[in-house]
Amino acid sequence: MKLLQTSLTTLMLILFFQSFVQPTLAQTPVHTSTEQSFMVIPTTTSATTAKQRNQNYPSDPINNIPWTGSMATVADIEQAFNSARQAENEQLGLNIPTLQLPTEWNSLGDAEKALWLINQERADRGLMMLQGVEENVTQVAQAYAEYLLTNNAFSHTANGQNPWERLKAQSEIASCQDFLGVSENLAVFMTSGDEVALPIERAIYYWLYDDGDCCDWGHRHAILWSSYTDNNGQLGEEGFLGIGRARGPYSYNGHDWATAEMIVMNVFDPCADWGVEPEPTNYSFMGQITDSQGDGISEVLVSMTDVGETTTDANGVYIFEEVPIGEHQVVLTKTGCNISPQIFTVGVSTDYVATRFVVAETPAMATQKQVHLPLVVMR
């Protein structure tokens, strides 16, 4: 966790959450000539070894890379990220290219901006991109951002649940997820004024580039985590993102702030069946009754056992909804007509079935006309 005072009246606090055994935390104030920082840093190491951990994410910068320049325009965002990339290249001997934000940047939503920045950082380091923003994950992130702001809280367990428990409280997530060693980043910006500049962009930046001294690059690891199971969505894309953002007055450590921006990032790795519609247990059952000339026979009463009855329309078409798989007896009747067979059995499955019937407008014509009854099963 990190509390960064970027000016006399603006503070930022960040937290991350991973699957590692959580270290004991100690509060350490740090003072420099340009800013005051209040950091919460680990005093013990994770149970996961450095070698094991490094298999899950790219190398960390050697030193923190603070935001440079102003915090107002799209050009300022590009300048800060590209300066950080250049510094990381110099520190680690890499060749990460410069980025250029989309021309429609200011019209993008919070989650779209976060996804674009995160995927650009991942792709330019050879990692799989996240496959998108997901509604369930977003609901979890947004609800927690609002909870933290409303309750003047800031931790991963403020509501009595950890991030995985909050994610699993969504039934769709609980029923279809692969293991993922990261789950949540938090950031809050506080000011005595009315506005916080670029909260989404700066949260992503600080998590990526200014996270070493306070947090052993834990936020960066959550963003650049490589160990997703690539079994859902397009090949080479895996994982969903959710971004929550809440804005309003906020109190922290006994100080009241006029305006705060609470940012919550959650990630989730879906299982292979995510988005795949389950096989239905019931089907729609459709057919058409025609004479030998292909003309539809109207007002034929079609009865199906255990389902109900309906009448063909002017084109001889009928449909039953919610028909269980299996065999069903069908009875056809029409006043003034002989139908042979009048009673028959059909098997409802995903296959196409066709059956012929003999029908006549009068009994005398019973052998001269036929009815064609294609039994079409629709999902």
Side-chain angles (χ1 to χ4, degrees), residues 41-251:
I41 60 176
T43 58
T44 61
T45 58
S46 162
T48 307
T49 67
K51 181 178 180 181
Q52 289 173 324
R53 290 169 60 188
N54 199 43
Q55 295 174 352
N56 294 316
Y57 48 81
S59 298
D60 301 322
I62 298 171
N63 301 307
N64 277 13
I65 307 172
W67 182 290
T68 58
S70 300
M71 300 176 181
T73 67
V74 173
D76 294 335
I77 302 167
E78 287 184 350
Q79 192 273 334
F81 275 86
N82 285 329
S83 293
R85 286 174 167 225
Q86 181 179 355
E88 183 173 336
N89 287 340
E90 293 171 355
Q91 290 185 24
L92 300 179
L94 303 176
N95 190 30
I96 303 171
T98 58
L99 60 75
Q100 182 175 2
L101 298 179
T103 57
E104 68 275 15
W105 185 259
N106 287 330
S107 66
L108 298 180
D110 294 336
E112 293 173 308
K113 289 178 178 179
L115 180 66
W116 192 95
L117 286 171
I118 289 171
N119 272 346
Q120 198 68 33
E121 296 286 356
R122 293 178 64 87
D124 288 344
R125 290 170 173 81
L127 303 175
M128 284 190 301
M129 293 193 296
L130 302 181
Q131 62 196 90
V133 175
E134 202 280 322
E135 179 180 3
N136 291 279
V137 188
T138 298
Q139 289 175 1
V140 172
Q142 183 61 36
Y144 198 54
E146 294 172 2
Y147 179 91
L148 293 174
L149 188 75
T150 301
N151 291 276
N152 298 312
F154 195 75
S155 80
H156 291 291
T157 56
N159 70 341
Q161 295 177 309
N162 66 41
W164 287 288
E165 290 170 336
R166 287 193 290 274
L167 286 166
K168 289 179 181 179
Q170 295 283 340
S171 59
E172 291 187 45
I173 292 177
S175 64
C176 189
Q177 62 173 328
D178 289 330
F179 174 79
L180 187 64
V182 294
S183 60
E184 183 173 89
N185 281 353
L186 304 179
V188 62
F189 299 84
M190 297 163 279
T191 180
S192 57
D194 296 328
E195 296 291 337
V196 173
L198 308 176
I200 296 296
E201 294 89 337
R202 289 166 62 202
I204 301 297
Y205 180 96
Y206 290 131
W207 290 334
L208 277 167
Y209 291 111
D210 201 6
D211 195 50
D213 293 344
C214 78
C215 309
D216 196 25
W217 300 106
H219 300 92
R220 176 184 171 96
H221 301 164
I223 288 177
L224 299 180
W225 198 259
S226 61
S227 299
Y228 285 79
T229 304
D230 189 12
N231 61 359
N232 184 268
Q234 296 183 11
L235 183 65
E237 294 184 4
E238 185 73 21
F240 288 124
L241 174 72
I243 293 291
R245 177 182 175 184
R247 180 180 183 276
Y250 184 69
S251 296

